[in-house]
Each structure stands twice: as structure tokens, then as C-alpha cells.
Amino acid sequence: MRYLPLTGADRAAMLGAIGAAGVDDLFCDVPAAARLAGPLDLPAHQGEMEVERAFATLAQKNLTPACAPSFLGAGAYRHHIPAAVDHLIQRGEFLTSYTPYQPEVSQGTLQYLFEFQTQVALLTGMEVANASLYDGATACAEAMTMAARIAKRNKVVVSGGLHPHWRETMATNGRFIGLVLDAAPPDWQGAEDLAGRIDETTACVVVQYPSFFGHIRDYAALAEACHARGALLVVAVAEIVALGALEPPGAMGADIVVAEGQSLGNPLNFGGPYVGLMATRESYVRQMPGRLVGQTADSDGRRGYVLTLSTREQHIRREKATSNICTNSGLCALAFTMHLTLLGEAGLARLARLNHAAAIALADRLAAVPGVQVVNRTFFNEFTLRLPRPAAPAVEALAARGILGGVPVSRLLPGLDDLLLVAATETNSEADMDAFAAALKEVL
């Protein structure tokens, strides 16, 4: 709870300075129909202790991944974050929630961003990465517009295995700049063929790896099909830990790779803030949105870091900008870099193996529940179940038993009522999995 030390006299002085008669004048631009006619039905005043107690009681009605066995995923994953990450990101030479406006003064910030870019490029198998974007969904939309600029075309083929929220973000951005999305139907069986949708107007094909439903596919042939028609392949990654075990998208021929980096260094936090990753080929670097930090040497030969490229709407007219993104996710990117640095290459590979092993163990248990079918032939740490009844009420029944048993696909894709998306990470114990399987058997 934040303490605001302003007195009535302070508020009167501020309102007087701007010529407002009262606080209500500050909301005069809000339509009357959108304003409350009176105060909410809440106690008029309580002490700090009473307020804290009341909110704690309300919060206890929630079932969170921190207090229950959780198998939630669908784009946001619970992983163990070493306590050292929080300590390191608060060191004075790093601590900032924002990208520097006088960048060369902030050598600590530039150094970690340079390390961040290097890590992202290595993970994705690409030649260059930027200093982060807002999150995976907006990074995916930026990749779409970047591909359209490069190809000078306006058609975007979207996989049915792309996260529904990411698809919606692309559609929202695309409709204002004349892009046409050719969205394939939900690919819950992992069998779609997108090559036939590519034509001479196609700017790019956007796929997810692993897919929203957990399927792992080799996109090398699709990359060749794209390049043969002058289009780009954009690969989106929602679970970045997967790249500790899977072949990097760059090795399959991807032209742009975007990802959500939340899984490393950033806890589940009611939807954010998270951190978007973007990497591409060097030949496309001047079309890449965001910022790029480079390494150099000063006049005395000492190593230093500089802001090499920056695309911002303040620099040129908005409609002429490469991108209208005007910052990066500085603190979240720093946490990502700290966590990955602590893991190292061998540690990340081990973490990925632990995740996959947990998912296999969970899939074996759940497949033994009568009526339950594991849809996937391949997966990393997330897979789709087909249940003998609608998944949404089953998940509610599991929650009543103290288990967060995955995400009903119908919540994001109405109509796919019997599909349940389930994730397992290194945080899930054998006892968690046994409890989930037993509870699922009871509720079906």
C-alpha cells in the first residue's frame, strides 16, 4: 500500500495552479454515462490494519500457482527463479525500469543489453537481436509489419497453432496499416499445411514453435517454400525454455524469430509486465524495430558500449517510422539476462530436460485416466488433452480441489470445448502430478 503524504491544502494548491475547481473537473472529458453516479458500496474509512486485513481476506479467495499445484501454461509459465536474480537486478549500476535517454552515460545498462542481445541471438540461432520489446504478442505483430516492409507485400499467413492472443494482436495492428491476415483454423492436431497458402502477395508466414497446442514441427520445408515465393518465415516462441532442448528456429531457415521471455527471470504476475524478444538476419537489421546496442572502444582503447541503432517515432514523422515502439522492457530484460547467465548453457539445457521429463511423466499419468486422450505425438513441456466432457467445468472442479489443472482451450478458442491445455515444469513434484491425476479421475 503506497502512502500519499498530500494534505488537503496540497491538493487545493495543485488544483488552483491548473484552474480546476475540484477533483471532479479532472474527469470532465469522461462521458457522463461512463462515470459512477455516487461512491461505491464500500466502508467510508478504515485504518491501515483493517484495510490490509480486508484485502488479504479477499486475496485468499484466489487460487494462485504459488499456493497450489499448478499446471497452467498457454503462454505464461511458472519456473523457479533463483533468489540471486532479484538481488542482482537491484544493483545501482543496473537498476532502471526504462531504456536510457542518454545511453552512453549508462554503461551498465548498455552492457547488460548487449549481453541480452547476445543471449537471444544464440538461443534463436539468428545473427542479430534487439534490446527487447514489450512482450511476445506485440513482438509478433512487429515481426509481421517488419516482414511486410521487407517483402513490400501485404498478405500475412497465420498458423492455426499460433497463440490466439498473439493472433488478435496481429489482427489489431494489421488492419490499420492495410495488411491482410490469412488465418488458418485452430490446428489442435498439429497437421496443418501452410505452404499452399503462400502466393506472390504473401509477405510472411507466422508459425509458433512449439505450437499453442504443444506440437513440435520441423519448419525447414516451410522456410524453403516461403523463400521460393519471396516470403519470409516468422517463428514465434511462447516458452523460451524450449530452445534449451529444441533445434533453434534459425537453423530451420527462419527469417525473424520472436518470443516471450517471461519464463527466464520473470515470475507470473497477473499478465505482466513481461519481455518480448526479437532476432533476425543481419541483412534485415535496419528494418528491425526497437533498439540495438553495440560494442566499441574509446580513444584509449577501453571497451565500451553504444546505442548503435534506434527507431523511434519521436525522431521522424510517425507515419514514416520503422516502428512506433518507443522503449524496451528494461528491467524484465535484465532479469532474463541475469537468470540465463546464472544457468549458463549447460544449466539451460538441464532445465529444459527437467521440463520435458516432467511433461512426459505427467502425460503418462493423465493418459491412464479413463476417457482421457493425449492429443500430441510430440511436445516439450505442454500438451493438449481431449476429455470425455467439457474442459471448463472440469477445471473449475479441479480448482475446488486445490489444483490448477490447466487452461481450457475453449477459454481462448470457443467451440473446442473438450480440449485442455496442460503444462508441467521443474516446479511440479511427483506428488503434484499424482494429485492432479487422481483429482481428474474424480471430476470426469
Side-chain angles (χ1 to χ4, degrees), residues 416-435:
L416 299 177
D417 294 346
D418 58 349
L419 299 181
L420 177 63
L421 200 57
V422 173
T425 73
E426 77 283 0
T427 64
N428 295 119
S429 67
E430 297 283 333
D432 290 344
M433 298 181 202
D434 289 339

Side-chain angles (χ1 to χ4, degrees), residues 2-134:
R2 176 170 294 179
Y3 176 67
L4 300 176
L6 302 175
T7 66
D10 294 331
R11 283 189 285 272
M14 288 188 286
L15 289 169
I18 61 173
V23 173
D24 287 345
D25 286 359
L26 303 180
F27 300 93
C28 62
D29 291 327
V30 178
R35 285 184 250 163
L36 292 173
L40 294 170
D41 184 18
L42 293 172
H45 178 266
Q46 287 186 329
E48 287 184 16
M49 288 177 56
E50 288 77 13
V51 171
E52 289 176 354
R53 189 177 298 123
F55 277 106
T57 301
L58 285 173
Q60 288 171 3
K61 293 182 179 180
N62 293 323
L63 188 64
T64 72
C67 62
S70 173
F71 301 91
L72 301 176
Y77 303 88
R78 184 178 182 231
H79 291 283
H80 170 69
I81 300 172
V85 171
D86 188 56
H87 167 72
L88 291 168
I89 66 174
Q90 295 187 67
R91 287 180 60 97
E93 62 269 47
F94 293 128
L95 183 58
T96 173
S97 59
Y98 208 63
T99 189
Y101 275 106
Q102 294 178 311
E104 278 63 47
V105 176
S106 307
Q107 283 294 301
T109 298
L110 291 183
Q111 181 175 359
Y112 92 71
L113 288 174
F114 183 80
E115 303 292 349
F116 170 85
Q117 294 169 180
T118 304
Q119 291 171 331
V120 173
L122 289 171
L123 274 172
T124 56
M126 303 300 286
E127 295 167 345
V128 60
N130 71 10
S132 80
L133 298 170
Y134 296 134

Side-chain angles (χ1 to χ4, degrees), residues 147-440:
R149 290 193 299 271
I150 293 170
K152 295 182 172 56
R153 298 174 179 178
N154 70 339
K155 176 182 171 182
V156 178
V157 176
V158 184
S159 165
L162 185 66
H163 193 296
H165 287 168
W166 297 28
R167 286 166 59 124
E168 290 175 14
T169 305
M170 293 171 62
T172 300
N173 284 25
R175 71 190 172 97
F176 291 109
I177 53 177
L179 299 185
V180 178
L181 268 62
D182 177 9
D187 181 37
W188 61 274
Q189 293 177 303
E192 70 180 3
D193 180 6
L194 298 176
R197 294 175 178 265
I198 305 171
D199 58 27
E200 67 280 358
T201 68
T202 303
C204 65
V205 176
V206 183
V207 296
Q208 185 172 321
Y209 174 72
S211 78
F212 172 71
F213 299 96
H215 305 287
I216 299 171
R217 301 187 64 180
D218 184 348
Y219 290 116
L222 182 60
E224 291 181 4
C226 288
H227 299 157
R229 305 297 294 268
L232 280 69
L233 177 65
V234 176
V235 176
V237 182
E239 168 56 298
I240 194 65
V241 174
L243 297 188
L246 302 179
E247 185 173 33
M252 293 188 288
D255 299 288
I256 305 172
V257 181
V258 291
E260 172 54 65
Q262 169 268 322
S263 285
L264 292 174
N266 294 279
L268 297 174
N269 190 25
F270 297 97
Y274 291 163
V275 53
L277 318 181
M278 173 178 275
T280 188
R281 305 202 175 280
E282 190 170 358
S283 56
Y284 300 143
V285 68
R286 289 196 174 275
Q287 290 296 333
M288 184 169 62
R291 298 179 163 202
L292 184 68
V293 174
Q295 179 179 282
T296 186
D298 67 11
S299 57
D300 296 323
R302 295 175 299 185
R303 185 171 67 170
Y305 300 91
V306 294
L307 191 60
T308 304
L309 289 176
S310 165
T311 55
R312 300 192 59 193
E313 81 277 24
Q314 286 98 332
H315 295 174
I316 53 178
R317 287 182 300 164
R318 182 169 183 157
E319 68 275 15
K320 297 292 185 182
T322 302
S323 165
N324 287 311
I325 186 169
C326 59
T327 185
N328 71 328
S329 294
L331 192 60
C332 295
L334 175 60
F336 176 100
T337 295
M338 292 299 184
H339 192 175
L340 190 51
T341 301
L342 291 169
L343 284 170
E345 185 175 352
L348 177 64
R350 181 171 181 272
L351 177 63
R353 289 196 297 272
L354 287 172
N355 273 253
H356 187 48
I360 291 174
L362 180 63
D364 289 344
R365 284 171 169 81
L366 299 182
V369 176
V372 174
Q373 175 193 358
V374 176
V375 171
N376 303 60
R377 289 183 299 172
T378 59
F379 57 85
F380 171 60
N381 70 351
E382 189 165 28
F383 52 87
T384 303
L385 296 178
R386 194 166 197 179
L387 305 184
R389 56 172 286 195
V395 166
E396 293 297 326
L398 288 168
R401 288 165 170 76
I403 294 173
L404 294 169
V407 177
V409 172
S410 61
R411 182 174 176 179
L412 300 170
L413 295 168
L416 299 177
D417 294 346
D418 58 349
L419 299 181
L420 177 63
L421 200 57
V422 173
T425 73
E426 77 283 0
T427 64
N428 295 119
S429 67
E430 297 283 333
D432 290 344
M433 298 181 202
D434 289 339
F436 183 14
L440 185 61

